[in-house]
Amino acid sequence: MPHAPGFYAVILAAGESSRMGRDKALLPWPPAAPGAPPTGQTFLSAAIQALAPFSETVIVVVGKNEDNLTPVVYGNGASLVRNPDPDRGQFSSLQVGLREVLSHGRDAAMVTLVDRPPASSATLKILCSAFTEAANDLWAVVPEYNGKHGHPFLVAREMIEAFLKAPLRATARDIEHQNLRHIAYVVVNDPRVTMNVDTPEEYAALSQ
């Protein structure tokens, strides 16, 4: 029997972006070519707008950057929840976001990171269709590009609970590897799903 989800999207944006030197959530997207005017979009606003058509609401997990991100979050029709201790790491932000999903009575989530270009609409359609049509023993759908797994990944209630029951020292990858038989990896033609942007050099390369 296929899933019939009411997705909540979760964007993890509580990191300090120490390697970038500025908040990656607020980096212009797409990067402006030399001499060209900026588009007015950011990684965060673009992520919200990409996920919104595929979810009931978009939740942004913020941290110490709450004051700076709040206008972007609310200006794009999303909601936010604060990780009270983002120094605990990204997995703690994932748990904060997923608890918020369950608190709204939802059993399915679409999770992504803010530090990458948003996946295309075509990719999101493929992932949502794969999740909706998955058998009950599948708890998650993960995009795959060029042999690498990426974001956003889609999770059902069973995987959400597995993440929430895990110790804080765990990682999402740890929980994924413990439940491989319940995960479908879906090949997509979208390099953005595996693209990390951690340094100024990696960001600059996006405009080349």
Side-chain angles (χ1 to χ4, degrees), residues 84-160:
D85 188 5
D87 292 338
R88 295 177 301 167
Q90 188 180 92
F91 192 68
S92 69
S93 290
L94 174 62
Q95 291 181 322
V96 167
L98 293 178
R99 287 192 189 98
E100 188 72 6
V101 171
L102 294 186
S103 76
H104 286 82
R106 296 300 181 270
D107 293 322
M110 180 185 302
V111 181
T112 196
L113 308 176
V114 79
D115 60 350
R116 64 187 58 209
S120 69
S121 293
T123 294
L124 295 173
K125 288 178 183 178
I126 290 170
L127 296 175
C128 288
S129 293
F131 186 89
T132 301
E133 296 168 5
N136 282 344
D137 62 345
L138 281 177
W139 301 352
V141 167
V142 178
E144 179 179 321
Y145 175 78
N146 201 24
K148 297 181 179 180
H149 303 152
H151 294 76
F153 59 83
L154 283 59
V155 289
R157 178 73 178 238
E158 295 88 347
M159 186 62 82
I160 291 175

Side-chain angles (χ1 to χ4, degrees), residues 31-77:
T39 63
Q41 294 287 343
T42 63
F43 269 22
L44 178 55
S45 65
I48 294 170
Q49 292 176 18
L51 297 179
F54 299 91
S55 59
E56 292 185 36
T57 195
V58 179
I59 300 168
V60 181
V61 183
V62 300
K64 299 172 185 177
N65 54 1
E66 179 177 3
D67 290 344
N68 292 331
L69 300 193
T70 295
V72 180
V73 172
Y74 291 138
N76 286 275

